[in-house]
């Protein structure tokens, strides 16, 4: 994955074991991405996700348009209560497997979309 000259912030350059290669660092596990930073994220079971788990993504100002949720090797749906709470704030959530979410991150950031991503480990 090559850096788009228009993209700003962290860019996923590939995969490494259970995690991601972001710029010049390997994140071996879950990860939170915003247009400003990439940090390790300890991911609870998808069905136990709460608004507290979204805290880093919701710290953006303004709030992100939506959150990419990469749910690991397989797609899993987040809890309905979480989806409704995010929608009440005007923030959508798009769930997909983590590899698809990593690819979507690069495309959407190249479009300068103001988004966040929470990525579960790949396995």
């Amino acid at each position: 994955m090559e850096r788009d000259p228009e993209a700003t912030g962290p860019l996923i350059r590939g995969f490494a074991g259970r995690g991601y290669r972001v710029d010049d660092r390997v994140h071996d596990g879950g990860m939170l991405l915003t247009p400003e930073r990439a940090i390790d994220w300890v991911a609870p079971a998808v069905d136990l996700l709460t608004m507290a788990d979204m805290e880093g993504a919701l710290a953006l100002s303004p709030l992100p348009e939506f959150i990419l949720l990469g749910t690991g090797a397989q797609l899993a749906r987040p809890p309905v209560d979480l989806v409704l709470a995010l929608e009440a704030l005007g923030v959508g959530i798009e769930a997909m497997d983590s590899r698809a979410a990593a690819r979507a991150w690069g495309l959407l950031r190249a479009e300068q979309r103001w988004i966040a991503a929470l990525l579960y480990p790949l396995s």
Side-chain angles (χ1 to χ4, degrees), residues 53-112:
D53 299 310
M54 304 283 128
E55 185 176 303
L58 296 174
L60 285 174
S61 181
L63 287 171
E65 295 175 51
F66 60 90
I67 297 169
L68 285 173
L69 179 64
T71 59
Q74 307 266 333
L75 169 63
R77 300 282 177 207
V80 172
D81 290 348
L82 174 65
V83 173
L84 294 174
L86 288 168
E87 287 177 355
L89 293 175
V91 178
I93 187 166
E94 296 291 332
M96 59 194 73
D97 71 76
S98 288
R99 287 182 184 272
R103 289 187 295 273
W105 172 262
L107 294 171
L108 292 164
R109 286 301 300 140
E111 295 174 358
Q112 299 294 312

Side-chain angles (χ1 to χ4, degrees), residues 11-69:
L11 183 71
I12 300 172
R13 295 187 173 273
F15 306 105
R18 296 174 3 105
Y20 310 87
R21 191 171 54 249
V22 177
D23 297 325
D24 60 354
R25 183 169 176 229
V26 172
H27 294 263
D28 186 35
M31 184 173 52
L32 163 69
L33 287 162
T34 72
E36 301 159 341
R37 64 190 175 133
I39 61 170
D40 293 333
W41 179 61
V42 177
V46 175
D47 61 341
L48 299 177
L49 271 171
T50 67
M51 287 295 282
D53 299 310
M54 304 283 128
E55 185 176 303
L58 296 174
L60 285 174
S61 181
L63 287 171
E65 295 175 51
F66 60 90
I67 297 169
L68 285 173
L69 179 64

